[in-house]
Amino acid sequence: MSRPRARERKPAWLRAFIPKTSPLVVTVCEGCGLYVIEDRETVWESWDYGCVAGDDLTVAIILGRPLTRVTWLPSVGHPLLRSTCGDAGIRPDGQYLAMHMCHLARISVKPFKPPSRERPPGKPWGGPKLSKQEIAEFKRIWDMPYSQLKHEKTPANKVGRGKK
């Protein structure tokens, strides 16, 4: 049995959105030839790859399309799909995928954007604090040619010892 041919180009962002370690798989629908996301964790379901949010969410509800919530797992670097119970599990600030229905237009084709990491505004990184002497020593070594650097002996108390 041969694989079905795609009628469209695969969006580049799908490779980053669903890595090989994910239980989700990007395949081509056998009926219509469009790319779909299959959830193969429990019951196999097919979802359109466009991110449904904002006004598109209203359209999906009016059309009665089943939705699944996309939850991003930063620890593993891939999404997890959580089913919603009709309109009850839908929140306006969420991102969803619409169930794939062959030969019907997609609700959305927007790419999914993982949430940015939370960091309080105005706070610097807060890395190690270096003295002016340590910064000057770093600059001196940084600008030194490699041929001279490999013969240089640095005292252990000057570089890499930071304040404790």
Side-chain angles (χ1 to χ4, degrees):
M1 185 163 126
S2 64
R3 287 180 21 195
R5 277 187 70 123
R7 285 187 17 212
E8 62 183 350
R9 288 183 63 136
K10 184 176 183 179
W13 62 270
L14 271 177
R15 285 179 184 78
F17 178 58
I18 301 177
K20 294 187 185 291
T21 58
S22 173
L24 304 176
V25 179
V26 178
T27 61
V28 176
C29 176
E30 292 180 8
C32 60
L34 298 178
Y35 280 102
V36 294
I37 297 172
E38 283 188 355
D39 185 1
R40 295 183 176 178
E41 196 168 29
T42 54
V43 176
W44 285 22
E45 297 173 317
S46 296
W47 305 94
D48 288 331
Y49 64 77
C51 181
V52 179
D55 291 341
D56 293 334
L57 194 57
T58 307
V59 171
I61 292 170
I62 291 171
L63 293 175
R65 281 280 180 94
L67 299 170
T68 184
R69 177 183 279 279
V70 179
T71 305
W72 186 256
L73 300 172
S75 59
V76 292
H78 64 74
L80 186 67
L81 301 182
R82 294 286 176 220
S83 60
T84 59
C85 298
D87 300 345
I90 297 174
R91 294 193 327 223
D93 61 339
Q95 294 184 358
Y96 301 88
L97 296 178
M99 183 168 272
H100 177 70
M101 295 183 175
C102 279
H103 305 291
L104 292 181
R106 289 189 174 106
I107 303 287
S108 172
V109 291
K110 292 180 203 165
F112 177 83
K113 293 183 181 151
S116 59
R117 292 187 180 191
E118 297 281 332
R119 194 177 100 216
K123 282 204 165 185
W125 169 56
K129 306 288 184 216
L130 300 174
S131 67
K132 289 185 180 184
Q133 179 188 5
E134 289 172 322
I135 293 172
E137 180 68 11
F138 174 81
K139 286 182 182 178
R140 182 185 74 77
I141 293 171
W142 184 263
D143 294 332
M144 189 181 299
Y146 179 71
S147 59
Q148 184 183 352
L149 179 64
K150 65 182 178 180
H151 298 296
E152 170 114 355
K153 301 238 186 226
T154 57
N157 62 355
K158 262 193 163 183
V159 179
R161 289 288 182 171
K163 291 183 181 178
K164 295 189 180 185

